[in-house]
């Protein structure tokens, strides 16, 4: 059986105690949607699991409303996974698009939804189809105009690599590359990573992108906005099955939704955390939830661990890290 609480350093404990400040209390005065309206944009014909895992992580962590915007063929499948998610088949792959479909026309339906949403996750199951990529580029432009926070992962990172102007200098953006994706992003910015260790690569990449937040995934997660770097070092599991990064993106999205609630002062609090610090803390919180979920799932499943096993541990991870007397050494 896994230990009830994870082992952690004093520094990690102190950061988690700050993260805890942004987590909303459960109050009768709140109404549906105030604690996070999240949308995951992805889900192509071949990849239906990733957007589900991301959206379900956001829901299991505590977001009020979790949406998936995907291709119709993916939507039919994702709807069978869970009735708790709201699935909108608004995306189109080139092979299934009509002659009247364009990136602009498809994106319009998504952009019209943005006023009802708080946070975007773009990339899980997206694929490299040109029309899907172009549509997401249009959505990102609109999200920036609204100053909406967004998370890019998987094939969403291809947009940052090939069209850096979409994210350049936008401090409401989080990129979550794995080791291969990190190398591609660094190459696109002319960064030599061979001698960069202990988070210096994440810091340098963040600066190259003008201060976006980088979550460099690995044995330890390095989280940097170019000025401050956190090391997320809670013990995780040892199985590297596909889809675990989707738990991260969904968890990040929920913390970003809670960040908005904190900034909107929806409950009484000290107000001692500003928007920039809250975004860094949201990234640390999402990383910590994912790593603890992985640890718990691996203790039960071992080599057989799958991404769905992390989904089942998200709330347990939350209670271990943030409820009761707080994180323990």
């Amino acid at each position: 059986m896994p230990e009830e609480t994870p082992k952690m350093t004093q520094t990690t404990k102190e950061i988690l105690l700050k993260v805890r400040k942004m987590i909303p209390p459960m109050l009768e005065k709140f109404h549906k949607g105030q604690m996070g309206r999240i949308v995951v944009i992805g889900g192509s014909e071949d990849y239906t699991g990733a957007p589900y895992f991301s959206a379900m992580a956001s829901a299991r962590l505590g977001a009020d409303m979790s949406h998936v915007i995907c291709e119709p063929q993916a939507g039919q499948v994702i709807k069978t996974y869970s009735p708790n998610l709201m699935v909108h088949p608004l995306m189109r792959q080139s092979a299934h698009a009509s002659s009247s479909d364009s990136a602009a026309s498809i994106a319009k339906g998504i952009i019209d939804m943005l006023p009802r949403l708080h946070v975007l996750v773009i990339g899980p199951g997206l694929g490299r189809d040109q029309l899907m990529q172009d549509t997401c580029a249009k959505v990102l432009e609109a999200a920036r105009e609204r100053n909406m926070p967004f998370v890019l992962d998987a094939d969403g990172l291809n947009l940052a690599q090939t069209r850096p102007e979409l994210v350049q200098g936008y401090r409401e953006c989080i990129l979550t590359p794995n080791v291969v994706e990190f190398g591609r992003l660094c190459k696109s910015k002319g960064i030599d990573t061979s001698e960069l260790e202990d988070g210096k690569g994440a810091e340098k990449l963040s600066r190259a992108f003008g201060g976006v937040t980088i979550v460099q995934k690995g044995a330890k997660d390095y989280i940097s906005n170019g000025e401050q770097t956190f090391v997320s070092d809670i013990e995780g599991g040892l199985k590297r099955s596909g889809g675990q990064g989707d738990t991260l993106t969904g968890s990040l999205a929920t913390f970003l939704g809670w960040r908005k609630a904190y900034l909107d002062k929806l409950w009484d609090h000290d107000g001692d955390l500003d928007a920039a610090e809250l975004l860094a803390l949201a990234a640390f919180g999402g990383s910590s939830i994912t790593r603890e979920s992985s640890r718990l799932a691996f203790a039960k499943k071992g080599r057989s661990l799958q991404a769905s096993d992390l989904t089942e541990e998200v709330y347990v991870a939350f209670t271990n890290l943030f409820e009761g007397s707080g994180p323990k050494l």
Side-chain angles (χ1 to χ4, degrees):
M1 293 293 291
E3 298 177 20
E4 290 184 1
T5 55
K7 297 177 182 178
M8 64 183 73
T9 62
Q10 182 64 35
T11 298
T12 293
K13 180 180 179 180
E14 291 171 358
I15 297 172
L16 288 176
L17 287 171
K18 296 185 77 171
V19 174
R20 192 175 185 180
K21 292 184 177 183
M22 69 188 289
I23 298 173
M26 302 296 289
L27 301 179
E28 288 185 354
K29 70 176 184 177
F30 293 153
H31 59 75
K32 181 176 68 176
Q34 286 186 306
M35 295 305 108
R37 300 195 292 269
I38 312 304
V39 65
V40 178
I41 303 178
S44 56
E45 186 174 17
D46 291 339
Y47 305 111
T48 60
Y52 164 78
F53 292 132
S54 180
M56 278 304 297
S58 76
R60 288 290 176 87
L61 185 53
D64 281 356
M65 305 173 75
S66 296
H67 300 257
V68 175
I69 295 176
C70 59
E71 224 272 346
Q73 281 72 18
Q76 294 175 22
V77 177
I78 296 169
K79 286 180 179 182
T80 69
Y81 294 159
S82 174
N84 297 309
L85 303 179
M86 289 157 281
V87 182
H88 313 272
L90 300 177
M91 295 288 284
R92 293 292 183 275
Q93 289 176 243
S94 300
H96 305 302
S98 69
S99 59
S100 62
D101 285 329
S102 67
S105 66
I106 298 166
K108 183 180 184 306
I110 301 170
I111 292 168
D112 288 345
M113 291 180 63
L114 295 186
R116 296 153 37 199
L117 302 168
H118 295 151
V119 183
L120 302 177
V121 176
I122 294 183
L126 180 65
R128 295 292 182 89
D129 178 82
Q130 193 63 53
L131 183 56
M132 297 274 277
Q133 290 272 320
D134 291 345
T135 300
C136 286
K138 298 285 187 186
V139 174
L140 286 176
E141 290 171 350
R144 282 194 67 158
E145 290 176 2
R146 298 185 60 85
N147 203 39
M148 289 183 69
F150 53 74
V151 180
L152 299 187
D153 186 45
D155 287 319
L157 293 170
N158 185 58
L159 291 165
Q161 178 184 336
T162 60
R163 310 182 207 192
E165 69 278 1
L166 292 171
V167 302
Q168 191 70 32
Y170 188 57
R171 292 184 174 269
E172 293 292 303
C173 168
I174 299 179
L175 307 181
T176 60
N178 60 26
V179 61
V180 174
E181 294 159 343
F182 183 78
R184 290 173 183 159
L185 289 170
C186 286
K187 185 177 180 180
S188 74
K189 287 294 188 179
I191 297 172
D192 180 5
T193 61
S194 60
E195 298 182 359
L196 296 175
E197 297 179 354
D198 298 331
K200 295 298 183 183
E203 179 182 328
K204 194 165 185 178
L205 184 61
S206 173
R207 288 178 178 172
F209 273 109
V212 307
T213 294
I214 303 293
V215 179
Q216 181 187 358
K217 298 180 290 191
K220 298 177 182 178
D221 294 344
Y222 294 104
I223 300 164
S224 183
N225 60 10
E227 299 171 0
Q228 182 181 36
T229 301
F230 289 149
V231 181
S232 179
D233 57 4
I234 289 176
E235 178 188 359
L238 298 180
K239 177 67 185 294
R240 301 292 182 257
S241 61
Q244 296 185 57
D246 301 312
T247 296
L248 172 62
T249 58
S251 299
L252 289 173
T254 293
F255 275 105
L256 289 171
W258 290 341
R259 168 180 178 255
K260 181 182 186 325
Y262 180 98
L263 292 171
D264 289 345
K265 298 187 182 299
L266 295 186
W267 71 94
D268 293 331
H269 56 70
D270 294 338
D272 56 341
L273 302 173
D274 63 23
E277 185 174 12
L278 284 165
L279 193 143
L281 292 172
F284 192 89
S287 170
S288 298
I289 287 287
T290 305
R291 297 176 72 89
E292 173 66 353
S293 297
S294 176
R295 181 185 76 88
L296 292 166
F298 181 72
K300 294 178 180 179
K301 302 290 186 174
R303 293 179 184 272
S304 72
L305 180 146
Q306 298 296 308
S308 56
D309 298 317
L310 270 70
T311 306
E312 299 304 315
E313 301 295 342
V314 167
Y315 185 66
V316 180
F318 174 81
T319 60
N320 284 355
L321 295 175
F322 297 111
E323 292 198 334
S325 59
K328 299 179 178 65
L329 291 171

